[in-house]
Each structure stands twice: as structure tokens, then as C-alpha cells.
Amino acid sequence: EAKDAATPPPPPPSTVFAYPVVDAQNNTLAPFTLDTADPNALHPADAVFDYAIGLGLPPHLRWELSEAVCERLAGRCGARRRAVVGTVPISDLGLTFELLDGDEAADGAYQFTKHNKLPPDFPSKLRGVLCSKASFPHVTCTRDRALFMRARLPKDPDSDPDPDSANGSTDEYLEEEVFVYEDEEVADKVADVGSRHGMDNVWADELTEKLCMANSAAVTCTRYRRVEFETGPITDETGASMGMLQLMEGEEGADAVYRFTKARGLSSAFGEQLLNHLCAQRNDKCTRGPTALLVHQSIRDADSGRDIHEPLQIWDDGNEPADTIQTWCNKHGLSPAMRDLLIRKVCDGDFKPGPLMEPRCSRRAPVLLQFPLSDENNRQLGLFTMLAGEEAADAAFAFGARNGASAGFRSSLMDHLCGRDEALTGQILCTRRRARALNQHSVMSEDGGLFE
């Protein structure tokens, strides 16, 4: 019993975390250790940094080691997996800026400024402090502007860019990456890369739009093509400057003037003067009249998968976009469903090819039928118009009511409409015999009964 009482208790479990380490040549190094019970111990990522710097490990090895250690000590690491290599207190704002190992000073300064809504000149000042090697010897300072986006671009414009620049073979992607820095336009950088690899404007338009949409939180795209020509300052009648007129690559002068005047609410007369001024400087950009081209879009038929070689064009010529699309779809044998899809895309502004403007749509259905009519007494009633997808009963009743035609006339007109080929294809609807007439009080049928 005395011997048992003298036996010492077993030692407490070790609180020292140890992780084996090998270098790039597969040599075994002293293990990384950290006393997890020490309340004053460094954050694991900071401890790994000190360990790696002491052994002269290259950056990629210390980042890998920091990630591996924090995988095992997730509770102590929290969300941070790399060491803090630069700390700058902003005392007058009550803020503290921290830069992590491997992060570019310009990127960190820009994001900090943006997040805290600081003045535009703050990033350069903060970067100046961070890039002082005497104070922060391990801060990365290789450039003076923030990098907003990088990607590899596919050779096929229907494919998506690779935002990580790590996927796909050179058969699928261009070897050269696109980098977009602070104060740069995506359109300019895509066009620069494309021109060096023999890509055309259609390719550049497609990839620019995809990059702008996929990176909308990081980049601001004010245009979708590279600027080819820029006038001097344009002034109004009072002499106030309205900025400079920019002519995008491949853009017609009339379209550039249209964009400029519409954005500023200027008159058509001012636009004509401006177009004359522009054409005097760049006559090669004035190959057609003053009517602006609003949409110029290559289309693939969603039903058959075939590409339509003639692009869809919408002009600022007073015609309703839905009617222009209807004519184009009929010419190329496209279905009503495809027509409605294109109308929706055009009117919703989904097509943003190059610098062109969005057309204004007063309706979403095209004119399907239009012909003159007269009543039983040969009285001319005017032009009957019916929209695609409209009920024959409604169209016949509305036309008859406007022109004081008899119930018999309206019934005959409905029979005529429902006997046409368009009714067989579903473009004219003939689902009921009674019309719905909307007045300010209720919705009524032709015989006066209320519809629920």
C-alpha cells in the first residue's frame, strides 16, 4: 500500500502541436511546433511565418505549411490562414489596416479604401506607407494599381472565360491572359489581346460582355468596345462643356452621335450639327445616313441550333422593334416562340453588342395582320390591325366598336380571322366567341355580361 501511494501520477498530455516539414528537395527539417496551451502564443499563421522565414523557405512553401497547420488548428486560426505582414493604424478614423502575406499592397489598399468609403487618394497614401521596406520588409509591392480581374479567353466566343487562368488547354484558350487593373476598361484589354491573336470585333464584343457580367462586383464597364477616335470638348449653346464624343472601334458616326445626344437629352437638330462636325473630321466613319443602329446581333435559333448568318438589326427609324423582329423571323423561318424570345431580349436590353443603345418598345407583340375593311354597306371602316397572340373575338369587337359596326359584321370578321392559317398555328387565338371589352368600371362581354 505504501509503494502504491508513492507511484507518481501519469504526466498530463502534451499541449505542444508538432507538424513535420520537408523542403522542396524533400529534405526533412525541424518540425514546426506551437504550444496550444500558451494564451500568449502567436496566431498559428504568424508562427508559421516566423518559422518559415527563419529557415529561408520560399513563399509558396510557407503558404502551403500555413494552410496545412490551420486545417488542423482550425479553432485557433479562425478565418485567417496567412500571416499579417503589415499593420497600419488609422488613428484619426479609429481603423486598423492589415495586409496578409502574399497579398499585393495595391490590392489591399484599394479594397480597404472602397470598403470604408475613404477618399480617392487614400490608396496611394496607404500603399506608400506599406511599401516602406524599412517598416514592412515582407510586404509585396510589385505594382502601383489594384488588379480587378484576370482571366484566360476562349478562342470560341460562345465559350466562357476561365477566371482562374488554370483550366483548359491552349487548343481551347488563348495563351495570353487578360489583366484588368484599376482605371482600365475591360473592352480595351480584351480588344488588345484579341488583336494580337487575330480575333475580330464579334469575338471581342462577346467576351467583353461575358467578363463584364461575370465580374460586375469587381469591374465597372462604361462601354463594350475600345475607343477608336475622340473629339475635342463638345459645348452647348451656353458654352458649358458636355464632355467629348467617343467613337468606338467599328462604330458608325451616326450611332456615336445617337449615344451622345440621347444620354444628354439633346435635340435632333443638335445631333445633326454634331454629326456634320464629326464627319468633317472622320469621313470614313460616315458611310450611311443619320439613322442610328440600336441592335446588331448574331442569332442562333433556339429550336434548331442553327446560326442565322444575317444579323438581327434594330434601327432608330420609328418602327416598332417587335414588328422588325417579326419580319426578320419570317424571313429566316423562325418559330413564334423564337420571335417572342428575341422581342423579350431586345426590349429588356439583354443584347449589348459594342456601344449600341437599347431600343424603346411600346409593345411586346408584333402586328400580325393589317388590312382595310368596309361594312355591309361598303362604308370604309379603315385599317384593321391585329397583334400576334391576340384573341380574334377581342380584336373583332374592338375594331367594330370603334367604327360603329354591327354585331353581324363583328361575327363575320371573327369567322374570317379564325379561318386563317395563323389560327391553325396558334398565332391567332380563337378560344372563345364572346369578346372582352375593358371600360373604366368593369370587364364586360360583348353581350353586356360581366366576366369574373
Side-chain angles (χ1 to χ4, degrees):
E1 292 180 359
K3 182 178 180 181
D4 291 340
T7 301
S14 174
T15 59
V16 175
F17 169 83
Y19 190 84
V21 181
V22 296
D23 63 14
Q25 289 72 41
N26 209 32
N27 299 315
T28 300
L29 305 178
F32 167 78
T33 59
L34 182 71
D35 187 353
T36 58
D38 182 0
N40 297 316
L42 292 174
H43 184 285
D46 298 332
V48 167
F49 181 84
D50 290 346
Y51 166 88
I53 291 295
L55 293 177
L57 297 181
H60 74 277
L61 285 183
R62 70 172 181 258
W63 298 336
E64 291 175 5
L65 178 57
S66 183
E67 186 69 31
V69 168
C70 282
E71 282 292 327
R72 289 157 179 78
L73 298 177
R76 290 183 66 90
C77 285
R80 179 159 72 88
R81 297 298 177 98
R82 289 192 183 182
V84 175
V85 294
T87 301
V88 180
I90 318 296
S91 55
D92 53 336
L93 300 176
L95 301 172
T96 299
F97 172 80
E98 293 184 337
L99 188 72
L100 300 185
D101 182 25
D103 287 353
E104 185 71 37
D107 297 340
Y110 178 86
Q111 294 300 332
F112 182 81
T113 300
K114 181 179 179 181
H115 178 75
N116 291 287
K117 298 180 174 59
L118 301 177
D121 62 342
F122 192 85
S124 61
K125 295 179 180 179
L126 180 55
R127 182 184 174 279
V129 174
L130 290 167
C131 293
S132 170
K133 290 300 180 183
S135 302
F136 304 108
H138 301 295
V139 165
T140 303
C141 290
T142 63
R143 46 185 164 81
D144 59 3
R145 289 185 299 169
L147 176 64
F148 284 178
M149 184 203 74
R150 65 179 291 190
R152 292 180 68 199
L153 303 178
K155 297 175 182 177
D156 182 357
D158 290 332
S159 300
D160 291 328
D162 172 19
D164 299 321
S165 297
N167 301 318
S169 66
T170 53
D171 292 337
E172 300 169 325
Y173 293 88
L174 300 179
E175 292 185 12
E176 182 180 358
E177 293 180 74
V178 62
F179 294 84
V180 180
Y181 294 95
E182 184 181 353
D183 298 326
E184 291 183 336
E185 284 280 350
V186 173
D188 296 339
K189 304 307 291 284
V190 171
D192 289 345
V193 171
S195 62
R196 287 192 287 271
H197 294 273
M199 300 300 176
D200 59 17
N201 283 341
V202 174
W203 177 90
D205 289 346
E206 292 285 344
L207 270 301
T208 296
E209 181 172 357
K210 287 182 178 182
L211 288 172
C212 288
M213 294 179 66
N215 299 276
S216 58
V219 298
T220 300
C221 297
T222 63
R223 49 185 167 81
Y224 284 81
R225 276 194 187 169
R226 182 167 51 187
V227 175
E228 183 177 335
F229 175 75
E230 193 171 62
T231 69
I234 306 297
T235 58
D236 62 13
E237 293 83 353
T238 67
S241 176
M242 295 181 291
M244 291 181 286
L245 172 64
Q246 293 181 328
L247 193 65
M248 306 304 169
E249 193 169 60
E251 186 179 19
E252 182 73 23
D255 301 336
V257 170
Y258 179 91
R259 285 190 301 102
F260 186 89
T261 55
K262 288 294 182 182
R264 293 161 178 79
L266 303 174
S267 67
S268 57
F270 186 93
E272 291 178 11
Q273 295 177 9
L274 184 56
L275 181 59
N276 292 333
H277 173 71
L278 174 62
C279 293
Q281 300 178 68
R282 291 295 302 266
N283 186 56
D284 59 313
K285 294 299 180 182
C286 299
T287 63
R288 54 175 165 83
T291 302
L293 178 64
L294 306 185
V295 170
H296 181 93
Q297 181 72 31
S298 299
I299 301 296
R300 173 171 292 174
D301 182 12
D303 297 324
S304 65
R306 65 185 173 98
D307 291 320
I308 311 301
H309 296 297
E310 179 190 354
L312 171 64
Q313 294 183 332
I314 308 293
W315 297 83
D316 181 39
D317 54 6
N319 290 323
E320 187 67 31
D323 298 335
T324 302
I325 293 170
Q326 165 82 349
T327 302
W328 188 85
C329 287
N330 288 344
K331 179 180 179 180
H332 296 286
L334 303 184
S335 68
M338 184 64 192
R339 174 203 64 204
D340 293 342
L341 174 64
L342 293 177
I343 292 174
R344 185 171 67 252
K345 284 181 171 292
V346 166
C347 294
D348 288 346
D350 289 348
F351 291 146
K352 299 175 181 177
L356 306 184
M357 301 285 286
E358 295 178 10
R360 295 178 181 176
C361 301
S362 63
R363 50 182 163 82
R364 297 296 181 103
V367 172
L368 183 63
L369 298 175
Q370 197 168 57
F371 47 81
L373 283 177
S374 57
D375 64 10
E376 303 93 329
N377 301 316
N378 290 324
R379 180 171 60 97
Q380 297 298 319
L381 301 179
L383 204 61
F384 171 77
T385 300
M386 184 174 187
L387 302 182
E390 191 175 4
E391 278 281 354
D394 296 339
F397 177 76
F399 181 81
R402 284 196 304 270
N403 292 281
S406 66
F409 172 87
R410 297 195 295 266
S411 178
S412 297
L413 177 56
M414 181 177 174
D415 290 340
H416 169 75
L417 295 174
C418 292
R420 295 179 63 99
D421 291 340
E422 291 88 348
L424 298 177
T425 60
Q427 297 185 75
I428 295 177
L429 302 182
C430 296
T431 63
R432 47 185 163 81
R433 292 293 301 179
R434 293 191 302 173
R436 293 176 179 173
L438 179 66
N439 63 26
Q440 62 179 340
H441 302 295
S442 60
V443 178
M444 306 182 69
S445 69
E446 187 175 355
D447 61 5
L450 289 175
F451 280 88
E452 295 182 359

